[in-house]
Amino acid sequence: MDIRPLGLDPSHCLIGAEWIAPKSGQTLPLINPSDGTALCDIAAGDAEDINAAVASARAAFEGPWGRATAVERGRVLARIGQLVLEHKDELARLEALDVGKPYKQAMADVVALARYMEFYAGAADKLHGQTIPYLDGYTVYTLREPHGVTGHIIPWNYPMQIIGRSVGAALAVGNACVLKPAEEACLTALAFGELARRAGLPAGALNVVPGAGAQAGAALSAHEDVDHLSFTGSVGVGKLIQTSAAENIVPVTLELGGKSPQVVFEDADFDAALPFLVNAGIQNAGQTCSASSRILVHESRFDELLNAMSGRYTSLKAGPALDDLDVGPLVSQRQKQIVEGFIAKGGDLELAASGEIVGDAPEGGAYVAPRLFACHEPDHTLAQDEVFGPVQVVIPFRDEDHAVAIANGTRYGLVASCWTRDGARQMRLARKLRAGQVFLNNYGAGGGVELPFGGTGLSGHGREKGFEALYGFTSLKTVAAYHG
Ligand code: NAI
Ligand code: MG
């Protein structure tokens, strides 16, 4: 099977206008999680390659890319978006093989990547400063300026979507980027680099260096010539990135996942809620930062909802990504072990229902059957910690205050939703739920290019997506002119 993205050698890095082998000559194997076979070798970039990439980004920022007008930046992003759509089948297949996500879900990510390019193409020339009334004889105004070189360390769960929201916004406002994709899945990051090149993005405006986190990732986050860091991934590595950012006093955006609740009141439309409740837990095999892993339901309808969700769970099928079932494999055997460890910790809970791994799923694949647990202890590990697998718990609550206390009772705060027909309750919950996004009578795991996104608490800080991201990728300059 040809998995060379757009005909590229996947063991090369994009530095400046060139695809080149990492200086060390080292590679890492890329595994197909659907069957455990090796897909290809990727570059094991290290500090030397990161240095070259940062230097190339700096030169682009000081050179043609830094001088490009907002209109020119918008046009090149629009061309990238067009190319993404022209290559959508190839990109979806690469993402499906690499991440293990069912083909249809991978295709949705391709479309989201194109949408990010379209959105930020349109936004590039619409970021305005202000004029500020000041003392007599002064005119004061603000300029939104790019930081310079931005470092983007992204995970394996949604490579295309996270490239779109992070690199797309950074480029729109004129930063030059160094992208370090995850060692588990980086083929679409390579393809994106090539499409950007073909679209006419000036050399060095985007550099792509795959490699291990502890080498390429650590080198990028510690680099003294990087002006902003954006990271999506685990809390543990987020702390390391924030520490590196502190050393260099650079701003950092962290998106570290969550334990996002959906709160279902007794008056909710269960039929409307049901597909959202389950999909938000099993989409991408639960490996979604905004996965909804906790379903809170009023005690009067607990049994009814648990039964309805169980009905769905028993029909869920897990199998190879290209078979396009409900759930693919997890990204790796390592992730499978993490998730199985959590499932074992649920041994003292009632297992309400399981999905099924299809009989012909290859032995070497990283499959985990989806699990639904009933949970009467909101402090249980499965109700507190991010599992990052197809596992949900259903928790009863007594009344609104109790629901809010449970919903807000973890250290995370990324997304939450509230299902109720009571308008006043919707408004109260929207304010009380601790989360960067609150959905009322819907849930948008990973969706919404236009919607500012990010967390509080252990979920991180800073906002990506939507127009808001453009503020994070710029720094504000105030100009005070005295003219008498
Ligand atoms: P990770 O945080 O190690 O990986 C994310 C990215 O960080 C990858 O590109 C990796 O190469 C890089 N990285 C790793 N160590 C680094 C270091 N020392 N310096 C700089 N960059 C480094 O996440 P991992 O180990 O793949 O997954 C473990 C858990 O993290 C998951 O079970 C899940 O709970 C959470 N996670 C959350 C994500 C989210 O979307 N918020 C995405 C991926 C993982
Ligand atoms: Mg790790």
Side-chain angles (χ1 to χ4, degrees), residues 76-86 113-114 117-118:
V76 77
L77 287 176
R79 281 196 297 273
I80 300 173
Q82 275 165 15
L83 288 180
V84 166
L85 289 178
E86 282 169 25
L113 173 59
M117 295 303 121
E118 292 163 359

Side-chain angles (χ1 to χ4, degrees), residues 154-157 180 183 213 217-218 231 234 257 289 334-335 386 388:
I154 66 160
W156 40 262
N157 55 341
K180 205 302 280 177
E183 52 272 52
F231 171 76
S234 62
C289 37
R334 182 177 146 258
Q335 193 63 24
E386 182 174 60
F388 233 56

